Amino acid sequence: MGELADFLVQNDAAFRKARLPALYADFRSQRTLNPDAYNANVTAWRHALSLLASRGLLSHGANANILILSLDEHLLRGLEGRGFGQPMALGTVVRESVAANAMFPVQTFLQAQQSVFQKSWSGVPWAIMGWTLRTIGVVDPSKGDDTLPKGQYVLLENVEAATKQFNEIMAEHTSKFDRVFTKSQFYNTFASDLIGGQRLSEADMNVLLIYLSRDKGIIEYDGKIIRVKGVGDQTGITEDDKAIASLKEVTVRVKHQADLLSARIDELELDAKKALARKNKVSALAALRQKKIVEQTLSTRYATLNQLEETANKIEQAADNVDIVKAMEASSGVLKSLNSQVGSVDKVDAVMDELRERVADTDELTVILAESTGAPVDEGEIDDELAEMEREAKEKEDEKQAEVAQGKMDKIPEMPGSPEKKQKARENSPTSETGIGKLTLAD
């Protein structure tokens, strides 16, 4: 089994062993006989190719593509399954993916003047579809072998994943200075952060920039300068954008030069120490002289770098001030509009006076209505009734407490030897029962 096939079996749920016979078979006939199974197979292979590309498994070396799929015999060999051979309908997968706008031939994608989503092939008759696909190397899907259409194709699934990650990163950078890049700055900033664990190639980045500008409208891009769009930004790349990008480019270059000079200073100092260890005073002095010259150059570079960074801070502050002023102007306009709806101060005073009069009228009417409901209530009678109710409540409470106290007393055991006990004992003695105890001398 090829290494790519092994990877899919272990990492893609759609490629479980029970599904492999159907995925590797020529399933083109299922398009009419079993459309659901046909679409499931096409979708599984499309996702599998995107997954392999996103893991960097479809190309190797410094120019490995993540967003672009290269279709060739090497790919087929890598996908060869043990007992199943090479996938027999991979060409159909590519054809369907192109028709569904999920894959695009690279040159067609890059050269399109309008968004690739504005023109769909999904409604095109199959006869015309077959002719169109044959012109780009895809054979007629209804006839003959399903030959793999060799070439390079943009994988929309991976492009959209990179776009989502890009949006998440840029959500934290709102200042104009942070949103402007040269093309090289953009590549160095984002190439390693958009697809987990992978670095985009320059070809990938070209595809992504076109997609972000033409199809998503997220950035302005003229081939050299990129500006991530913000609220209220002008259309197109402006002279300000070019100046900011140039300043950032020079700053990066000066920082790089300073790093090289620092490394050179360390190297010359080490050379001088080695020369002294060899008792070679001439070489040591020469190394120290060169070190001194490099230190002077480094000092100049640091001064330049400080000026560049200070200028960048001023530009960023100025850009922020512009945004603040625009926000204040907008707020002022809103307040003016709302105040115009309210009216003049005299109008507001008149409204408040009228409101106070209406409130006073309402209070007066309330008093009149309250007086007209009957004779006034005798407060003395109310107090007497309340006192009677309180007295009755207290009597009931006292009775209840007395009953509780009596219940407790009844539960207290009697003391042994009490008169009552003795009397009861006499009454229950044997002599009392026979009457002997009651006899007297007279009897």
Side-chain angles (χ1 to χ4, degrees):
M1 183 177 286
E3 59 179 4
L4 300 181
D6 285 336
F7 177 86
L8 291 176
V9 171
Q10 296 173 10
N11 296 276
D12 192 336
F15 277 73
R16 58 187 183 277
K17 292 184 178 181
R19 289 273 292 129
L20 294 181
L23 291 169
Y24 275 82
D26 186 354
F27 51 79
R28 287 179 294 170
S29 61
Q30 293 183 343
R31 185 176 181 277
T32 54
L33 299 176
N34 190 348
D36 291 339
Y38 176 83
N39 291 328
N41 290 338
V42 170
T43 301
W45 273 113
R46 181 189 303 157
H47 174 71
L49 294 174
S50 298
L51 176 62
L52 292 170
S54 68
R55 300 295 180 87
L57 299 176
L58 296 185
S59 53
H60 304 280
N63 295 320
N65 295 324
I66 308 300
L67 309 182
I68 298 174
L69 170 66
S70 296
L71 293 179
D72 52 24
E73 296 299 327
H74 178 75
L75 174 62
L76 285 176
R77 289 192 296 271
L79 291 172
E80 187 171 344
R82 186 180 299 110
F84 305 107
Q86 297 178 354
M88 299 179 65
L90 198 59
T92 294
V93 173
V94 175
R95 167 176 54 81
E96 292 287 0
S97 298
V98 171
N101 287 338
M103 289 186 187
F104 304 91
V106 170
Q107 292 305 316
T108 301
F109 182 89
L110 294 177
Q111 295 173 6
Q113 297 300 314
Q114 296 180 337
S115 172
V116 293
F117 301 116
Q118 292 183 2
K119 182 178 180 181
S120 174
W121 293 354
S122 58
V124 179
W126 280 104
I128 300 176
M129 176 78 77
W131 175 84
T132 304
L133 294 174
R134 283 197 302 274
T135 62
I136 62 173
V138 184
V139 298
D140 191 337
S142 62
K143 299 179 181 179
D145 296 333
D146 194 52
T147 305
L148 183 70
K150 298 179 181 179
Q152 292 187 317
Y153 295 83
V154 175
L155 297 168
L156 184 62
E157 181 177 335
N158 292 359
V159 175
E160 289 183 335
T163 300
K164 180 180 178 181
Q165 183 63 24
F166 173 76
N167 286 332
E168 291 178 359
I169 294 174
M170 289 307 301
E172 302 176 359
H173 302 279
T174 57
S175 71
K176 186 173 183 179
F177 197 85
D178 290 338
R179 294 185 285 109
V180 178
F181 308 86
T182 62
K183 188 175 181 179
S184 61
Q185 290 170 3
F186 190 91
Y187 180 78
N188 292 330
T189 302
F190 297 106
S192 299
D193 296 334
L194 300 182
I195 298 292
Q198 303 298 325
R199 183 176 179 82
L200 301 184
S201 66
E202 291 185 5
D204 289 331
M205 192 60 72
N206 288 333
V207 166
L208 180 62
L209 287 172
I210 292 296
Y211 183 76
L212 292 175
S213 59
R214 181 192 63 203
D215 301 305
K216 286 297 185 179
I218 297 174
I219 65 172
E220 294 285 356
Y221 175 51
D222 65 356
K224 296 180 180 179
I225 307 298
I226 298 104
R227 186 187 77 242
V228 181
K229 291 183 178 180
V231 179
D233 282 357
Q234 299 180 21
T235 302
I237 298 298
T238 66
E239 293 299 321
D240 290 346
D241 297 332
K242 294 178 181 179
I244 291 173
S246 176
L247 178 62
K248 293 176 70 173
E249 187 78 20
V250 172
T251 301
V252 171
R253 187 164 60 248
V254 172
K255 285 183 178 179
H256 180 64
Q257 292 175 355
D259 292 338
L260 293 177
L261 290 172
S262 296
R264 179 59 177 162
I265 290 172
D266 294 338
E267 182 183 347
L268 289 171
E269 184 175 357
L270 182 60
D271 290 343
K273 291 179 179 179
K274 290 181 178 179
L276 285 177
R278 298 192 306 269
K279 306 300 183 181
N280 190 340
K281 186 176 180 180
V282 175
S283 297
L285 288 173
L288 290 175
R289 289 192 187 97
Q290 292 180 17
K291 176 188 172 187
K292 193 65 175 178
I293 294 172
V294 175
E295 286 176 341
Q296 292 175 351
T297 305
L298 179 61
S299 178
T300 302
R301 290 291 182 274
Y302 277 139
T304 302
L305 184 61
N306 288 335
Q307 292 177 349
L308 292 172
E309 291 178 342
E310 183 177 355
T311 302
N313 290 332
K314 294 298 182 183
I315 291 176
E316 191 166 2
Q317 291 176 9
D320 292 340
N321 290 339
V322 170
D323 293 337
I324 293 172
V325 171
K326 287 182 178 180
M328 295 176 68
E329 288 178 346
S331 301
S332 175
V334 172
L335 289 173
K336 182 178 180 181
S337 175
L338 295 174
N339 289 334
S340 65
Q341 297 178 39
V342 172
S344 64
V345 175
D346 293 337
K347 179 181 177 181
V348 175
D349 285 339
V351 170
M352 293 304 298
D353 290 340
E354 184 176 358
L355 178 61
R356 282 190 285 269
E357 291 179 3
R358 300 288 82 80
V359 171
D361 292 343
T362 301
D363 292 341
E364 185 176 355
L365 288 172
T366 302
V367 172
I368 295 173
L369 290 173
E371 292 176 351
S372 64
T373 56
V377 177
D378 188 345
E379 296 294 335
E381 293 182 359
I382 294 177
D383 292 338
D384 293 341
E385 185 176 355
L386 177 62
E388 179 64 20
M389 292 176 67
E390 289 177 343
R391 184 184 63 76
E392 292 177 356
K394 188 174 185 306
E395 289 177 356
K396 291 181 180 180
E397 182 65 23
D398 292 343
E399 292 176 358
K400 184 177 180 181
Q401 291 180 357
E403 291 177 357
V404 172
Q406 183 62 42
K408 291 181 179 180
M409 292 294 294
D410 292 343
K411 292 180 180 180
I412 298 175
E414 296 180 354
M415 295 296 294
S418 62
E420 293 82 359
K421 287 282 185 178
K422 292 180 179 179
Q423 180 64 31
K424 188 174 182 180
R426 290 194 192 99
E427 291 176 354
N428 294 333
S429 65
T431 55
S432 66
E433 292 179 357
T434 57
I436 297 176
K438 296 180 179 181
L439 294 177
T440 60
L441 292 175
D443 295 337

